[in-house]
Amino acid sequence: MGIGNSKNKSQLSISNAQCLMPNALIQNDMNNQNITPQTDAKEQVTASPLRCLTGAVISGGMGFAAYSLMIAIATNFATKPIHSVNPLVIRISSAVRTLVVGVVALGSGIFGIVAIGLLALGVQLLVQQLTKQKSSEN
């Protein structure tokens, strides 16, 4: 009796899972075929100096926000000492504080590097466009 009930429960859970899936996925699962979903072919967006400048401003703003957050967190940690006599608690708290400040600093640095890269790409594209215009005029 216990074996029959476990089969019914597993079949019930499979059928419940299949009820949540679309019909195409159920048929795909039954046929054991790997079918990738069809997506519309989209045009590839080309980079332009304006897009690069916009991305650089956004990334720079997020980098500055992360840097400001990092300074605020570090100041907050510095003004509030750890109140414990247990050396293990002090070491773990110090490690966690360092990790938190480090992760936010890493995010800030990455956003800053991305902003610099996008700005450089925008300048490169602008120079390429200007040289193409000058060469086509000659």
Side-chain angles (χ1 to χ4, degrees), residues 1-68:
M1 186 165 138
I3 295 172
N5 287 338
S6 65
K7 276 188 174 180
N8 290 338
K9 287 181 183 179
S10 65
Q11 288 174 351
L12 180 63
S13 65
I14 291 171
S15 63
N16 285 342
Q18 288 176 346
C19 289
L20 298 176
M21 288 194 269
N23 288 336
L25 290 177
I26 293 172
Q27 291 172 355
N28 183 22
D29 190 34
M30 288 180 182
N31 295 333
N32 292 329
Q33 296 175 350
N34 292 329
I35 299 174
T36 57
Q38 297 291 334
T39 58
D40 296 334
K42 295 183 180 179
E43 294 180 19
Q44 186 175 4
V45 179
T46 59
S48 69
L50 181 62
R51 283 179 159 269
C52 292
L53 181 64
T54 304
V57 168
I58 291 171
S59 181
M62 292 179 74
F64 180 74
Y67 178 75
S68 299

Side-chain angles (χ1 to χ4, degrees), residues 93-116:
S93 299
S94 176
V96 168
R97 286 178 174 204
T98 303
L99 186 66
V100 168
V101 173
V103 166
V104 177
L106 181 66
S108 170
I110 288 173
F111 278 115
I113 291 171
V114 167
I116 292 169

Side-chain angles (χ1 to χ4, degrees), residues 73-96:
I73 290 171
T75 305
N76 190 11
F77 284 161
T79 58
K80 296 180 181 174
I82 302 165
H83 299 292
S84 178
V85 250
N86 190 346
L88 183 63
V89 171
I90 294 172
R91 287 181 186 160
I92 290 174
S93 299
S94 176
V96 168

